[in-house]
Amino acid sequence: MQYDVVFSGFGGQGVLYAGQLLAYAAMDHGLHVTWMPSYGPEMRGGTANCTVIVSDEDIGSPLVTHPTNVIALNNPSVDKYEPLVAQGGLLIYNASLTSRTLTRPDIRGIPIHASEAAAELGNLRLLNMIMMGALLQLADAIVPIEVVEIALERHMATRHAELLALNRSALRRGMALANFAGAVA
Amino acid sequence: MAIELLKGNEAIAEAAVRAGVDAYFGYPITPQTELLEYMAKRMPELGRVFLQAESELGAINMVYGAACAGKRAMTSSSSPGVSLMQEGLSYIAAAEVPVVLVDVMRGGPGLGNIAPSQSDYFQMVKSAGHGDFKPIVLAPASVQEAVDIMDLAFDLADKYRTIVTVLLDGTIGQMMEPAELPPMKPRRTAAPGWALTGAADRSKNMILPFRLQVDDLEAYNLQLQQKLALIAHSEVRYHEQMVDDAELIVVGFGTAGRIAQTAVRLARRQGIKAGLFRPITLWPFPERRLSQLADDARGFLVVEMNAGQMVEDVRLAVGGQAPVKFLGRMGGSLPMPDDILAAIVKLDQASTRAQPDAPCTIEGPSMPLKHFVSVN
């Protein structure tokens, strides 16, 4: 089985790191994985994104035309990916920074007020982990949350070690928000 | 050794370190700059040489000098930078010193863009500079394969005193994948006998990039061609998947090859007997094996991230025995599995095996195979 996730947002929102965390977790879980960043001019000032593919067999293409899971952290990312999400796919978007609702009825759109939630936890930079938690809640077949938590501990830079507990809280908060939003949607 | 999540460019750099590279010279250019950046930190840590040259011309000539001194030397660059290096590469080929070049291709021509591309197949495979020579060209399709290839690249360069180019595109350079690095090899302590190390206690060595007399140069040319023929005979490498019963063979190298693998699997699920053939050595090209596959295959599809370059070599190898179709993307776009699958389905519906003596109406050269001189 193969899963793909696109993480997209402004540079600095932790998009690339969130993708790497999922890639580490998948690797630790014994799965095949690729992490492919956008490295073109769009990174300079605009949106940054990365594609993570997780599979139980070796991976051919590290990119997909129509992703099945998209995490959109800002408005331009929603604009870019809403038309691209595969039919029946999942688009989790940061409702705190999105000025509109989704128009496609054939995808699962999940609004998460992630910036507010991150602020409540005391650090806006936890935004990416809140969205990551939401993903794990709604697409839990990719890797279990416990594996991601261990990956967080194992692969987070030691200089950030004191932020481990906060990141864990953010993951759990994201899961809870997605559970609620998913039930509503 | 543990499996780690590694970025292509950095993994290549560390693999070169572990293969025993003594000296790295380079000049930054996207999408390979992480390689240079990694070396800038890593090489001094180990007491080895890192030098950021003033330009690609400077870098390649520093590599040339270090290689003449018997050191394992390398550089890395991307398409426009490699163009600047071509004069030096030709001198290195003439001097027959071992050098490893990593070329992380980007879109062209000209400054092009920094997106992944395979548009320099001709440039590197058909000769990396003026004069009659060919570097060995290795094309990895994953981070792990890139790691493994670096050790091979240095060994082949030393074995044949030749240039070995590792040719990849920005996708593999920028991508992270789990990979296992090899253990650190001890560095070579004694310089090879031909190296320029100071001739105080021995007769002098000479390394020349020229032979001014016509007879001398031709004798040298013949000797060089003999060496290339030996490489062509001995160093062909490729990867195959599901070709045993395949009626349709999809051919691609590097990134295009691995994407094609997904399409081949999708085709199999639809009951189409497709197989993947991925050359790892672009020179020497695995023409003999492709020719064998053409004995039974009903059709070939070549997928590249260019306007159609390797497809010419595939057509030569297939020798008109079966249709050879092409699917290419340019400008930094990747051929996606669905597009390749559609091309496979089309080939499946269109291709019937050509009759041996029927007039040739299919694509590719109609030259009979026996006129095609195979060197491998």
Side-chain angles (χ1 to χ4, degrees):
Chain A
M1 195 61 199
Q2 180 165 308
Y3 303 93
D4 60 80
V5 186
V6 168
F7 297 84
S8 181
F10 289 126
Q13 281 186 313
V15 165
L16 300 184
Y17 181 74
Q20 280 180 13
L21 178 63
L22 181 62
Y24 277 120
M27 178 181 76
D28 293 349
H29 207 45
L31 295 165
H32 293 268
V33 63
T34 57
W35 173 91
M36 181 71 204
S38 59
Y39 65 92
E42 72 270 24
M43 270 186 76
R44 284 146 202 174
T47 58
N49 69 70
C50 66
T51 303
V52 177
I53 314 255
V54 177
S55 177
D56 53 10
E57 54 181 12
D58 54 341
I59 296 162
S61 175
L63 293 174
V64 288
T65 319
H66 298 291
T68 44
N69 300 288
V70 174
I71 307 287
L73 270 60
N74 62 5
N75 214 28
S77 300
V78 174
D79 290 344
K80 179 174 177 181
Y81 283 102
E82 189 186 357
L84 293 179
V85 178
Q87 259 191 8
L90 178 65
L91 173 57
I92 308 174
Y93 60 102
N94 181 10
S96 313
L97 294 181
T98 309
S99 55
R100 64 176 181 85
T101 51
L102 303 187
T103 54
R104 273 181 67 183
D106 61 332
I107 60 171
R108 217 173 147 209
I110 306 289
I112 302 285
H113 288 272
S115 297
E116 277 106 321
E120 280 164 23
L121 286 170
N123 191 336
L124 261 179
R125 296 184 65 186
L126 294 167
L127 166 71
N128 59 347
M129 289 300 114
I130 286 171
M131 294 299 273
M132 181 76 168
L135 171 75
L136 294 169
Q137 175 69 32
L138 297 170
D140 58 345
I142 303 177
V143 280
I145 173 74
E146 292 77 17
V147 176
V148 175
E149 286 187 328
I150 294 168
L152 191 62
E153 189 168 358
R154 201 182 284 174
H155 304 286
M156 198 161 77
T158 44
R159 64 180 189 280
H160 295 142
E162 78 278 6
L163 297 174
L164 187 61
L166 258 183
N167 275 280
R168 276 209 191 109
S169 309
L171 282 173
R172 295 285 171 177
R173 180 89 184 113
M175 290 178 82
L177 287 170
N179 194 24
F180 178 72
V184 173
Chain B
M1 290 288 141
I3 291 177
E4 302 165 73
L5 190 65
L6 299 171
K7 186 167 199 168
N9 285 333
E10 293 172 357
I12 288 170
E14 180 60 27
V17 165
R18 294 184 186 207
V21 66
D22 295 304
Y24 173 97
F25 307 93
Y27 189 78
I29 180 170
T30 308
Q32 66 77 52
T33 299
E34 295 86 359
L35 205 169
L36 173 136
E37 191 182 3
Y38 187 93
M39 287 301 204
K41 182 165 183 288
R42 184 76 166 129
M43 294 293 270
E45 275 176 9
L46 297 165
R48 305 188 196 180
V49 171
F50 168 86
L51 203 154
Q52 182 173 321
E54 76 281 14
S55 71
E56 285 86 351
L57 277 76
I60 194 66
N61 283 292
M62 289 173 191
V63 168
Y64 182 15
C68 288
K71 297 297 181 186
R72 280 195 146 178
M74 72 172 287
T75 185
S76 59
S77 192
S78 177
S79 311
V82 172
S83 291
L84 286 168
M85 289 182 177
Q86 285 198 297
E87 182 199 44
L89 289 170
S90 180
Y91 279 52
I92 290 165
E96 293 188 88
V97 291
V99 160
V100 172
L101 161 69
V102 178
D103 181 359
V104 187
M105 292 179 281
R106 52 187 261 178
L111 192 62
N113 64 21
I114 61 175
S117 167
Q118 298 181 325
S119 54
D120 306 332
Y121 176 94
F122 281 156
Q123 181 185 32
M124 204 38 72
V125 171
K126 297 301 172 182
S127 174
H130 63 277
D132 272 325
F133 79 96
K134 285 177 176 176
I136 294 174
V137 183
L138 304 171
S142 66
V143 174
Q144 183 67 64
E145 196 170 51
V147 164
D148 297 341
I149 267 178
M150 288 313 290
D151 191 52
L152 175 69
F154 281 101
D155 284 350
L156 290 176
D158 277 345
K159 182 176 178 185
Y160 295 104
R161 291 177 59 181
T162 189
I163 300 164
V164 178
T165 303
V166 178
L167 191 67
L168 58 148
D169 66 81
T171 311
I172 295 163
Q174 296 294 327
M175 184 166 62
M176 288 179 94
E177 271 188 304
E180 188 173 15
L181 288 160
M184 182 79 84
K185 258 190 183 174
R187 281 165 81 189
R188 190 166 58 197
T189 47
W194 50 260
L196 307 183
T197 54
D201 308 319
R202 56 163 172 82
S203 57
K204 68 177 180 181
N205 286 339
M206 289 228 289
I207 294 176
L208 296 176
F210 60 88
R211 272 84 180 160
L212 295 179
Q213 299 303 318
V214 171
D215 292 349
D216 287 350
L217 184 56
E218 190 174 42
Y220 163 79
N221 288 146
L222 287 167
Q223 181 198 314
L224 181 62
Q225 292 306 315
Q226 273 182 0
K227 179 174 87 176
L228 295 180
L230 177 64
I231 295 172
H233 178 76
S234 315
E235 303 299 346
V236 171
R237 286 169 172 82
Y238 52 84
H239 170 79
E240 293 179 342
Q241 237 176 339
M242 296 178 275
V243 297
D244 288 346
D245 64 338
E247 295 171 2
L248 307 176
I249 307 286
V250 183
V251 190
F253 71 94
T255 299
R258 70 180 281 161
I259 298 174
Q261 177 186 308
T262 303
V264 164
R265 278 193 193 137
L266 294 171
R268 283 273 169 177
R269 279 176 208 156
Q270 294 189 11
I272 298 173
K273 286 187 175 172
L276 175 75
F277 185 84
R278 179 167 65 78
I280 295 172
T281 48
L282 299 181
W283 194 84
F285 193 69
E287 56 205 16
R288 173 171 289 183
R289 179 59 183 151
L290 270 170
S291 170
Q292 281 171 357
L293 291 173
D295 288 343
D296 299 318
R298 191 148 66 76
F300 287 77
L301 173 68
V302 180
V303 184
E304 298 181 72
M305 286 143 64
N306 59 39
Q309 300 191 13
M310 183 182 70
V311 64
E312 293 189 3
D313 288 328
V314 175
R315 284 185 176 139
L316 282 170
V318 168
Q321 296 181 90
V324 178
K325 301 290 182 187
F326 175 73
L327 173 70
R329 295 296 303 271
M330 291 181 281
S333 301
L334 300 183
M336 297 308 280
D338 289 349
D339 304 330
I340 303 173
L341 177 64
I344 295 173
V345 170
K346 199 171 156 198
L347 180 65
D348 182 47
Q349 289 160 355
S351 67
T352 48
R353 184 77 194 160
Q355 293 304 306
D357 297 308
C360 196
T361 54
I362 51 184
E363 279 191 56
S366 55
M367 189 168 50
L369 193 66
K370 62 178 189 258
H371 293 306
F372 175 61
V373 181
S374 173
V375 286
N376 67 343

